[in-house]
Amino acid sequence: MEITETKFQEMTEELLAKFGTQYKEEVESLLKSFGSELSASIMSEVEDKLKTIIPAKEPVSDDKIKGQAHGFKGFGDYVKAVAGRKDERLYKGLQTSVQGEFIIPENYASEIFKVALSQANLFGRTRRFTVNGNTLSIPYRVDKDHTSGSVLGGLTLYWTEAGGSITATDLKFGKVNLRLNKLAGLIPADSEFVADAPMAVDSLVRDVFGEAVGFELDRVIVKGTGAGQPLGFKNGAALITAAKVTGQTAATINVQNVLDMYAKLWNGSRRNAVWMYGADSLPQLLSMTLGDMPLFLPGNNVFGRPSDTLLGLPSFQFEHCEALGTAGDVYLADFSQYVTIEKGANFAESMHLYFDTDKMAYRITIRVDGQPWWETYLTLPNSATQSPFVNLATRS
């Protein structure tokens, strides 16, 4: 007799609790392969076959589960407990401040933050600090002008004869002052959906929240105003703009633009910098050549080049770039020169917020801040300027 959909879901959740939710596709595929032969009595055989598919993933012991998530085998298990409201693990392992509201175990919030970082292109590239309090001050050398011969925040060296006096110069330091800002989101879900498909809720809150957080972190690292959110490099004083070519056609990016931007990139950033461009800019980048050499090379693992490159530096399409021909349609930036602080995520649920519509509410809050590490761009001895953050002027 063919197994019911409900029983199939229960068997899936049991296996995912042992092997990990990241193997959902493998688990479901294996269970379906048994067809009409699938039954609860052959679960041990199913597990044995699953071990051959996932040899490096060992079943998680109950003791280990309890240590990580207050005794819950996974977020789906937690959701089922919340729906029933009678599971003792909800009251022994977690603190509740209001009847019907529960703080979800920290490791589930951490999973969402991991998804966010995997979806974000920029946050993981920044110079990151985890803080216990609300603020962090990070010093930097005031090194913005080399035209007078001083470097590294005011240090000047002098040639002197033996026995001669040495002139002292003071180094100048500044501070980047960061204060945590809160990013928050709220999702309502039908109670029937929560009770009938807890694993689907797991995917919903983890992946949807994670992708949304990653999307927003990318946006503010570029465009953030600094008021209640991180300061984006586009709004910082260190951004430097390469001029358009005289007589350049509107809404174009040409080879000289790319070369000029590269010339304005701080020399110390040429190991870490990346190009970012909008979807409508890609066709023009693909067609660029310098002599017979293409400037843009699509990624190819066969040749040890996992990502697209432009002038040898990694490049990727970025949703937060501006329209073609507008300043911000292409950037060249080194995010090791952008600092961020974080204090992790908090994840909670409530049955009261949407009580009249019989919905559960899931809330995520993440506290972060960030800004460029440079107070302004650098002026070289020949008066040329460079920065870790480079833009291209509007071409209209």
Side-chain angles (χ1 to χ4, degrees):
M1 185 175 72
E2 188 173 346
I3 198 165
T4 65
E5 183 177 347
T6 300
K7 190 62 178 177
F8 180 88
Q9 186 68 30
E10 290 177 356
M11 295 168 73
T12 300
E13 291 172 14
E14 181 181 343
L15 291 170
L16 290 177
K18 292 183 177 181
F19 291 91
T21 57
Q22 66 269 41
Y23 298 110
K24 183 178 180 181
E25 183 178 345
E26 290 88 341
V27 168
E28 290 183 342
S29 177
L30 179 61
L31 288 175
K32 290 176 182 178
S33 70
F34 279 84
S36 60
E37 297 179 5
L38 183 61
S39 66
S41 62
I42 65 168
M43 277 295 282
S44 59
E45 182 180 346
V46 174
E47 288 189 25
D48 289 340
K49 287 198 174 185
L50 194 56
K51 290 175 184 177
T52 65
I53 298 173
I54 315 171
K57 181 70 179 181
E58 297 180 358
V60 182
S61 68
D62 288 341
D63 289 340
K64 187 175 182 181
I65 291 167
K66 290 176 181 177
Q68 291 178 339
H70 305 285
F72 295 106
K73 296 180 179 179
F75 186 64
D77 186 31
Y78 170 81
V79 169
K80 289 176 69 176
V82 169
R85 301 286 158 176
K86 295 180 180 180
D87 196 308
E88 64 179 12
R89 293 173 295 179
L90 291 171
Y91 305 97
K92 288 184 177 180
L94 301 171
Q95 294 182 345
T96 61
S97 56
V98 180
Q99 182 64 31
E101 296 185 1
F102 298 91
I103 303 299
I104 297 173
E106 287 185 9
N107 61 315
Y108 301 138
S110 298
E111 283 299 314
I112 291 176
F113 199 49
K114 288 178 182 177
V115 173
L117 294 185
S118 71
Q119 295 295 323
N121 285 299
L122 308 184
F123 192 84
R125 299 175 184 268
T126 65
R127 193 178 295 263
R128 296 167 54 193
F129 297 88
T130 300
V131 296
N132 293 321
N134 296 324
T135 63
L136 182 66
S137 293
I138 305 173
Y140 64 86
R141 297 175 306 206
V142 179
D143 188 21
K144 59 184 179 180
D145 192 345
H146 292 178
T147 56
S148 63
S150 67
V151 295
L152 305 177
L155 175 63
T156 302
L157 302 181
Y158 298 89
W159 295 98
T160 183
E161 296 181 357
S165 62
I166 301 174
T167 303
T169 53
D170 293 329
L171 291 180
K172 297 178 181 179
F173 292 90
K175 286 184 179 180
V176 171
N177 297 309
L178 301 173
R179 176 179 291 275
L180 291 171
N181 299 296
K182 183 165 68 175
L183 176 64
L186 188 68
I187 291 179
D190 290 330
S191 294
E192 292 89 349
F193 179 61
V194 172
D196 297 342
M199 295 310 299
V201 176
D202 178 10
S203 177
L204 172 72
V205 296
R206 184 185 62 218
D207 296 342
V208 173
F209 269 141
E211 290 180 24
V213 169
F215 183 88
E216 179 60 15
L217 289 177
D218 273 353
R219 187 191 71 81
V220 294
I221 287 174
V222 176
K223 299 181 178 181
T225 63
Q229 60 183 254
L231 175 66
F233 71 80
K234 183 179 180 180
N235 295 318
L239 180 68
I240 195 168
T241 299
K244 68 177 183 178
V245 176
T246 302
Q248 182 172 351
T249 303
T252 60
I253 302 173
N254 61 37
V255 172
Q256 192 59 49
N257 295 148
V258 171
L259 297 179
D260 289 344
M261 290 181 69
Y262 186 79
K264 287 191 172 295
L265 179 68
W266 178 51
N267 189 54
S269 288
R270 289 184 178 151
R271 289 180 297 178
N272 299 312
V274 296
W275 294 90
M276 301 177 292
Y277 50 83
D280 51 358
S281 301
L282 180 57
Q284 298 198 27
L285 298 176
L286 283 168
S287 64
M288 287 184 182
T289 59
L290 191 59
D292 295 331
M293 181 182 71
L295 297 190
F296 188 100
L297 296 175
N300 190 321
N301 284 323
V302 174
F303 296 103
R305 195 171 57 245
S307 62
D308 297 342
T309 59
L310 179 60
L311 280 181
L313 294 177
S315 65
F316 53 87
Q317 184 176 309
F318 189 65
E319 288 190 61
H320 301 290
C321 285
E322 306 298 338
L324 178 62
T326 306
D329 57 349
V330 60
Y331 294 110
L332 179 58
D334 172 15
F335 292 100
S336 71
Q337 302 303 306
Y338 186 99
V339 291
T340 56
I341 60 173
E342 59 191 85
K343 201 174 184 178
N346 181 272
F347 192 22
E349 66 82 31
S350 173
M351 64 178 292
H352 290 314
L353 184 59
Y354 300 106
F355 182 79
D356 58 333
T357 57
D358 193 26
K359 292 182 177 181
M360 301 291 294
Y362 294 93
R363 184 193 70 209
I364 184 76
T365 58
I366 292 178
R367 301 178 68 194
V368 298
D369 194 22
Q371 68 180 70
W373 206 3
W374 287 44
E375 64 168 350
T376 187
Y377 53 80
L378 172 65
T379 302
L380 303 178
N382 64 359
S383 296
T385 53
Q386 289 187 333
S387 172
F389 308 104
V390 185
N391 195 12
L392 180 59
T394 295
R395 286 128 287 136
S396 58

